[in-house]
Amino acid sequence: MKLRLTAAALLFPLLCGAAAPQGAPGEKMRTEKVLRMFLSTSETGLDPAVASDNATLSLLENLFDPLLRYDYLARPAKLRPNTAAAMPEVSADGLSYTFRIRPGILFTPDPAFKGARREVTAQDYVYSIKRLYDPTLKSPWAYMFEGKIAGDETLRKRYGPDVPVAGLQALERYTLRIRLNAPDNNFLFYLATAATGVVAREVIEAYPGQAGNHPVGTGPFMLGDWKRSDRIVLLANPDSTAVFHATPGHNAEDRALAAALEGKRLPRVDRVEVKIAEEFQGRMLGFLNAEYDYLEQIPESMTDMVVRDGRLKPELAARGIVLSRFPVLQTYYMWMNMNDPVVGGYGKDKVALRRAISMAYNNAEDIALLKKGFAIKAESPLPPNVLGYDPSYRSPVPYDPALANALLDRHGYSRRDPDGFRRAPDGKALTLTMHSEATVGGRLRDELWRKCLNAIGLRVVFKSDKKTEIIKASRLGTVQMFESNWIADFPDGDNFYQLLYGPNAGRANYARFDLPAYNLRYEQARRLSDGPERQKLYFEMNQLIHAYNPWVPLTHVLSGDLRHPWLKNYKRHPVEFTAWRYLDVDVAERARSARGRGGNR
């Protein structure tokens, strides 16, 4: 399906100055600045309340505006106002947050507004947050608010956009007040996620059940052209009110970037052309052929194409290409469905099976051969630089195939098929089914898992599919095992430990792990700020994860990032998915580079 904006949006080049004004025949047309990008998986529907995959979130954070966003340069990550005029006023008891919304923020044009210019109000944020409670949407972000906003039980019992919620009110046109049942140290982080981007009720109701096909926001970009799972074009929003402000540290490059951009209107480019590039080789070759302006996270299987002895190859450095390493707030893990009849359950035999699977995983081989050294071993769900991370914590579950074999023998898996594979304790054939992505990288991971599991006598078959389809099936509980990853929505341990919280089963908790001892500690930790008391609870939660093994924690990525010399203002952010609004393109330098390569890009 191909979607286009209305005629009003097609006036974009005139509105934003892409062409010389009429009446100036001697002037040259300004060259349009185009940022060329890719997404590694297909997007899903562009509805902030529903989407949870990285590809779609990358688009949403450029189309929709939450109240807050992250400072581009501050490290560690820090929030700053976005559509809010300032950071909120917080009551002394930590329960009440009052936001003043900047006047003059407009939704992009849509027929739902019947030709009127539609301004954002506090009531729009009330509506947008309420949508997360809509049971028909099954929002994976509802956990951020359910049971936390004062009086939201009325909304949970009987959802409706007009159901009053005492703790969620528009006091006046531009004043929003949110009151909580209990203090939540991460609450402001939630208000910087794409899920809380403001939407207009008229648009949602104009396209029942199809809001994801009609993204109408207030962000720095708006949708231009959309050919599903193939190509997306974002156009600079001529009504964007975003202005650059940032807080650089002592880094000289950051300080220079801040000085050059301070107070300037965003975005800096006229359009972003995005392709879907699911194959690693296609991404790498596309970057090297200058089809993409930067590439974040060199594909593991492609590292040797660009890196030699840990450094960028000289011939690429001579082209001005830059390699940088970045510690991503990301955890790779393999989860097992606790409701699955083969690997699920809390009995000793099923715990033994999952622990043996965990002990069979060869982390060193994964890092050396698949990730080419661009990763570190995951000891727990938390990656470095996330609040709550304990650098001294070590997993009590080692890589030990011999011990894994002994454990299986002891707990009823000793009988074997004629081909040497183990049978279940009831004597029936035992086959594990692991979903995997239908990519080169997915196949390489399949082979590593096959090798590891076969070493302890476990037969495994792989079911390949697109990641978006696997996610859908995971939410329905029909996937047995899958190697996945989580990138922080906000830089706090809560964002990772909620992935195993029982009430989140069917949402982000794909393993459907539901252990009262874990749930209790998670709920206690959620009420605490970072410190020794919360650290103790996190330690105990780690121990429970390793005792029951719903996950096999795998790695934390050290991203190898590449960028071309004509890309300006680039700095990788630890939380936000993209930096598109800040990036600029030196069109002349790009053209010179193309001539130097004998190309015409």
Side-chain angles (χ1 to χ4, degrees):
M1 182 169 67
K2 203 168 186 179
L3 303 176
R4 295 183 183 274
L5 282 180
T6 57
L10 300 179
L11 296 175
F12 165 79
L14 298 177
L15 292 170
C16 71
Q22 293 184 4
E27 294 184 26
K28 292 181 180 180
M29 180 180 293
R30 182 174 75 78
T31 304
E32 189 177 43
K33 292 183 177 181
V34 180
L35 181 66
R36 297 167 179 162
M37 285 308 310
F38 70 85
L39 295 174
S40 58
T41 59
S42 298
E43 78 292 353
T44 55
L46 298 177
D47 183 346
V50 176
S52 63
D53 60 285
N54 294 349
T56 308
L57 293 173
S58 297
L59 298 167
L60 291 176
E61 72 178 13
N62 289 284
L63 296 169
F64 293 89
D65 269 328
L67 288 160
L68 306 174
R69 66 175 307 106
Y70 287 90
D71 189 303
Y72 186 43
L73 301 178
R75 302 293 184 275
K78 183 176 107 175
L79 293 172
R80 67 174 309 114
N82 185 36
T83 56
M87 295 301 286
E89 301 166 14
V90 184
S91 61
D93 59 8
L95 298 178
S96 184
Y97 295 78
T98 303
F99 292 87
R100 314 288 178 184
I101 295 167
R102 289 187 286 109
I105 300 171
L106 299 173
F107 286 103
T108 54
D110 188 87
F113 301 135
K114 304 186 184 329
R117 301 287 279 161
R118 176 64 159 78
E119 186 185 32
V120 173
T121 68
Q123 186 59 42
D124 292 316
Y125 277 102
V126 171
Y127 174 77
S128 300
I129 293 173
K130 281 184 177 181
R131 281 193 76 228
L132 302 179
Y133 291 77
D134 186 343
T136 66
L137 296 180
K138 295 182 173 62
S139 174
W141 307 100
Y143 79 93
M144 297 188 300
F145 298 97
E146 285 181 339
K148 298 178 184 179
I149 295 181
D152 73 350
E153 61 273 7
T154 59
L155 200 61
R156 287 184 284 155
K157 290 177 181 177
R158 181 177 60 88
Y159 172 77
D162 296 313
V163 172
V165 177
L168 186 59
Q169 294 187 353
L171 302 184
E172 53 187 26
R173 185 172 179 82
Y174 303 114
T175 304
L176 171 70
R177 178 167 294 166
I178 304 175
R179 187 165 180 81
L180 307 181
N181 288 316
D184 186 332
N185 296 293
N186 292 316
F187 184 68
L188 291 181
F189 288 134
Y190 308 156
L191 299 178
T193 61
T196 60
V198 67
V199 299
R201 181 172 179 175
E202 302 97 305
V203 173
I204 303 301
E205 293 181 348
Y207 309 104
Q210 297 294 317
N213 296 331
H214 301 273
V216 177
T218 64
F221 292 97
M222 59 187 187
L223 187 66
D225 191 54
W226 184 9
K227 187 178 181 182
R228 284 187 177 276
S229 302
D230 180 29
R231 180 175 181 269
I232 305 103
V233 175
L234 304 184
L235 306 175
N237 179 1
D239 293 320
S240 172
T241 60
V243 173
F244 185 87
H245 299 293
T247 311
H250 299 296
N251 182 284
E253 290 184 6
D254 290 357
R255 296 176 75 86
L257 191 158
L261 286 183
E262 180 60 30
K264 290 190 176 179
R265 186 172 175 271
L266 303 174
R268 305 304 299 161
V269 297
D270 299 311
R271 60 196 281 133
V272 183
E273 295 181 353
V274 185
K275 295 180 181 179
I276 306 302
E278 295 186 336
E279 289 293 338
F280 291 152
Q281 186 175 24
R283 298 175 210 166
M284 180 60 75
L285 293 177
F287 172 80
L288 295 176
N289 291 332
E291 296 169 19
Y292 309 125
D293 295 320
Y294 68 91
L295 180 150
E296 290 181 344
Q297 206 156 317
I298 298 170
E300 298 153 5
S301 58
M302 304 284 110
T303 304
D304 293 341
M305 289 181 64
V306 294
V307 174
R308 182 184 302 140
D309 299 325
R311 295 187 177 185
L312 188 69
K313 288 184 174 181
E315 58 269 30
L316 299 180
R319 288 172 51 181
I321 293 173
V322 176
L323 167 67
S324 57
R325 286 176 171 81
F326 181 80
V328 184
L329 301 187
Q330 182 178 27
T331 298
Y332 276 81
Y333 58 99
M334 194 277 285
W335 57 264
M336 292 170 271
N337 185 345
M338 297 294 287
N339 292 343
D340 182 81
V342 177
V343 299
Y346 297 83
K348 289 183 179 180
D349 59 330
K350 297 304 180 66
V351 171
L353 175 60
R354 292 193 300 272
R355 187 171 301 163
I357 290 170
S358 185
M359 287 192 291
Y361 164 67
N362 191 334
N363 190 284
E365 187 171 348
D366 183 354
I367 293 173
L369 299 183
L370 297 188
K371 295 185 172 63
K372 305 295 183 181
F374 282 82
I376 60 174
K377 183 178 184 294
E379 305 288 349
S380 78
L382 296 194
N385 300 316
V386 165
L387 291 173
Y389 172 74
D390 180 359
S392 66
Y393 183 82
R394 294 294 178 269
S395 168
V397 181
Y399 167 60
D400 193 334
L403 186 58
N405 273 305
L407 186 66
L408 291 172
D409 287 342
R410 182 178 178 181
H411 287 277
Y413 297 90
S414 57
R415 283 175 288 184
R416 304 261 185 158
D417 289 332
D419 54 6
F421 288 114
R422 295 180 182 275
R423 287 184 171 271
D426 60 7
K428 294 180 180 178
L430 174 62
T431 299
L432 304 178
T433 303
M434 183 180 290
H435 274 65
S436 67
E437 294 183 65
T439 63
V440 171
R443 289 188 286 274
L444 290 172
R445 287 193 177 89
D446 293 351
E447 288 312 306
L448 177 60
W449 274 110
R450 189 191 310 277
K451 177 181 175 181
C452 292
L453 294 173
N454 288 176
I456 60 171
L458 295 177
R459 179 190 288 110
V460 60
V461 296
F462 297 91
K463 186 175 181 180
S464 295
D465 206 341
K466 288 188 175 183
K467 189 171 184 178
T468 50
E469 295 305 311
I470 298 173
I471 289 172
K472 289 177 185 176
S474 299
R475 288 179 180 165
L476 295 173
T478 59
V479 174
Q480 184 184 99
M481 308 163 68
F482 180 53
E483 183 175 322
S484 189
N485 72 91
W486 185 266
I487 299 177
D489 301 305
F490 51 88
D492 189 87
D494 179 84
N495 190 232
F496 287 84
Y497 286 116
Q498 61 90 18
L499 297 172
L500 288 160
Y501 180 50
N504 287 343
R507 295 174 180 168
N509 180 359
Y510 296 140
R512 297 175 179 258
F513 185 57
D514 192 4
L515 186 73
Y518 181 94
N519 295 342
L520 175 63
R521 285 164 175 80
Y522 172 76
E523 291 163 358
Q524 292 171 337
R526 190 169 59 184
R527 295 191 288 268
L528 299 172
S529 57
D530 188 42
E533 189 178 354
R534 192 175 76 156
Q535 198 76 45
K536 180 177 180 292
L537 290 169
Y538 279 2
F539 175 85
E540 293 172 358
M541 290 158 68
N542 288 338
Q543 293 289 291
L544 290 168
I545 293 168
H546 287 122
Y548 288 88
N549 295 105
W551 278 19
V552 181
L554 305 177
T555 57
H556 305 304
V557 171
L558 293 175
S559 178
D561 301 340
L562 299 171
R563 64 183 185 273
H564 285 293
W566 56 79
L567 183 69
K568 307 302 178 185
N569 308 335
Y570 176 85
K571 185 177 178 69
R572 184 83 177 266
H573 194 275
V575 182
E576 294 189 337
F577 293 94
T578 70
W580 298 347
R581 69 185 63 206
Y582 309 111
L583 300 181
D584 208 340
V585 173
D586 187 325
V587 177
E589 187 169 356
R590 177 191 267 163
R592 285 193 298 271
S593 178
R595 288 194 296 271
R597 297 192 312 278
N600 188 30
R601 292 181 179 84

